[in-house]
Amino acid sequence: MFVFNRQFEKRAPARHLLAVLLALGSMAAHADGMSLAEAYKVISTRKFVDLTQSFSPSTPVWQGFGQASFTTASDPKTYRPYSLEQDGFRTTYYSMVGQYGTHVDPPAHFHAKGITMDRIPLKEMILPLVVIDITPLLAKDPNHALTVQDIQAWEKKNGRVPAGAFAALRTDMSKDWTTNPERFKRHPFPAWSLAAIKFLFEQRNITAIGHESMDTDTTPTMESQKWVLEQGHYQIEVMAHLDQVPPTGALIVVSWPKVENGFGFPARAFAILP
């Protein structure tokens, strides 16, 4: 039984953050367990980091999709745009592909029998977060693809990648999102290798991956992205601010609109730091 106390609130180590969140539903009903209010006190004292890029009609997107269009929504009968002055409210009509900005790729994006975004379990939307930083390797190899050896070297410093984790690849590409969008769209780019992807899912049993680029890898067949989605996993693309998150100890919370039978949509992700 997990019993809350004030000392825990003051010095709860990173590994207990997930325990706090997982305890909410199961322990709230127990008189000697952690209440929702007490659990929230622990979480609310932590730093939150937004892992999501803002997007607009001019932000980078795969050339096969084209830019988004944001227009003022209009009355369908009169075609007059709504305004605060005349109607007391304003709203926007968004026209864009689902894979726009920071977004979720569910298995159905690549796999005919894969689950759609509305069927991804809620429990997979809050996970332990590990950040694998390959920026030190990019000076010699600007398009380095994460290898199994890179992961093993990371584990020597940070410990074994925990089962059920969300693994994020830090490349600092996100810094070009607004300052140099043409560079952001470059190809090739630092990415995942298929061997590293398979190692993380099959040997470390992670739940999902994320990266700063618009694709998982730079192979002509998109072999890493295809494998991830065909194996029933989801991924988050165009992540931001991974440089503000430690290698281990944080949690990621990620969500998206519940589009019925959706193949992808802009997502909101953030980290809770230890």
Side-chain angles (χ1 to χ4, degrees):
M1 178 63 69
F2 187 101
V3 180
F4 178 86
N5 61 64
R6 298 300 173 187
Q7 291 302 312
F8 176 85
E9 179 182 1
K10 293 178 181 179
R11 55 181 176 84
R15 65 179 179 273
H16 289 316
L17 278 177
L18 184 61
V20 170
L21 292 171
L22 295 178
L24 296 185
S26 62
M27 292 187 173
H30 295 279
D32 59 345
M34 181 183 296
S35 71
L36 291 174
E38 289 172 324
Y40 177 71
K41 285 182 180 180
V42 175
I43 297 302
S44 64
T45 61
R46 300 305 194 257
K47 181 180 179 181
F48 286 48
V49 174
D50 194 352
L51 303 179
T52 315
Q53 295 280 16
S54 297
F55 63 85
S56 73
S58 63
T59 49
V61 66
W62 180 54
Q63 60 182 0
F65 291 145
Q67 301 299 139
S69 175
F70 297 0
T71 56
T72 303
S74 302
D75 185 316
K77 295 180 180 179
T78 66
Y79 302 105
R80 179 181 61 79
Y82 291 113
S83 68
L84 287 173
E85 294 75 17
Q86 297 186 60
D87 305 289
F89 68 92
R90 55 185 174 181
T91 188
T92 302
Y93 182 86
Y94 301 96
S95 177
M96 61 189 179
V97 68
Q99 275 71 20
Y100 202 80
T102 303
H103 63 269
V104 59
D105 281 342
H109 179 42
F110 268 35
H111 185 32
K113 296 184 179 180
I115 63 170
T116 49
M117 54 190 283
D118 52 319
R119 294 174 56 203
I120 294 175
L122 293 176
K123 288 185 177 181
E124 293 188 8
M125 295 184 187
I126 180 166
L127 299 167
L129 175 61
V130 298
V131 178
I132 302 175
D133 180 9
I134 62 170
T135 58
L137 304 175
L138 302 184
K140 291 185 178 180
D141 181 9
N143 305 316
H144 183 75
L146 181 76
T147 66
V148 173
Q149 292 72 28
D150 295 334
I151 298 170
Q152 292 171 334
W154 182 93
E155 289 187 322
K156 287 182 180 179
K157 294 181 179 179
N158 302 287
R160 186 183 175 95
V161 174
F166 183 108
L169 182 66
R170 178 187 166 189
T171 62
D172 283 357
M173 283 186 67
S174 61
K175 296 180 180 180
D176 292 327
W177 177 255
T178 56
T179 60
N180 194 343
E182 289 305 312
R183 174 172 166 74
F184 179 85
K185 292 188 290 185
R186 68 189 183 273
H187 191 280
F189 50 84
W192 305 88
S193 71
L194 179 58
I197 290 286
K198 287 184 174 181
F199 179 82
L200 286 169
F201 280 103
E202 295 179 342
Q203 302 299 319
R204 295 298 181 261
N205 298 310
I206 65 169
T207 294
I209 63 166
H211 39 267
E212 299 173 57
S213 57
M214 292 188 287
D215 287 309
T216 315
D217 60 73
T218 58
T219 63
T221 58
M222 301 181 73
E223 60 183 18
S224 295
Q225 181 159 333
K226 183 178 180 181
W227 189 90
V228 169
L229 301 181
E230 288 187 345
Q231 296 302 310
H233 308 292
Y234 78 85
Q235 65 176 14
I236 301 296
E237 297 191 306
V238 192
M239 298 183 73
H241 306 136
L242 290 173
D243 59 327
Q244 299 178 29
V245 182
T248 62
L251 300 177
I252 187 171
V253 180
V254 60
S255 188
W256 46 82
K258 193 176 181 180
V259 180
E260 187 173 354
N261 299 321
F263 299 148
F265 211 82
R268 189 66 185 268
F270 63 90
I272 305 173
L273 303 194

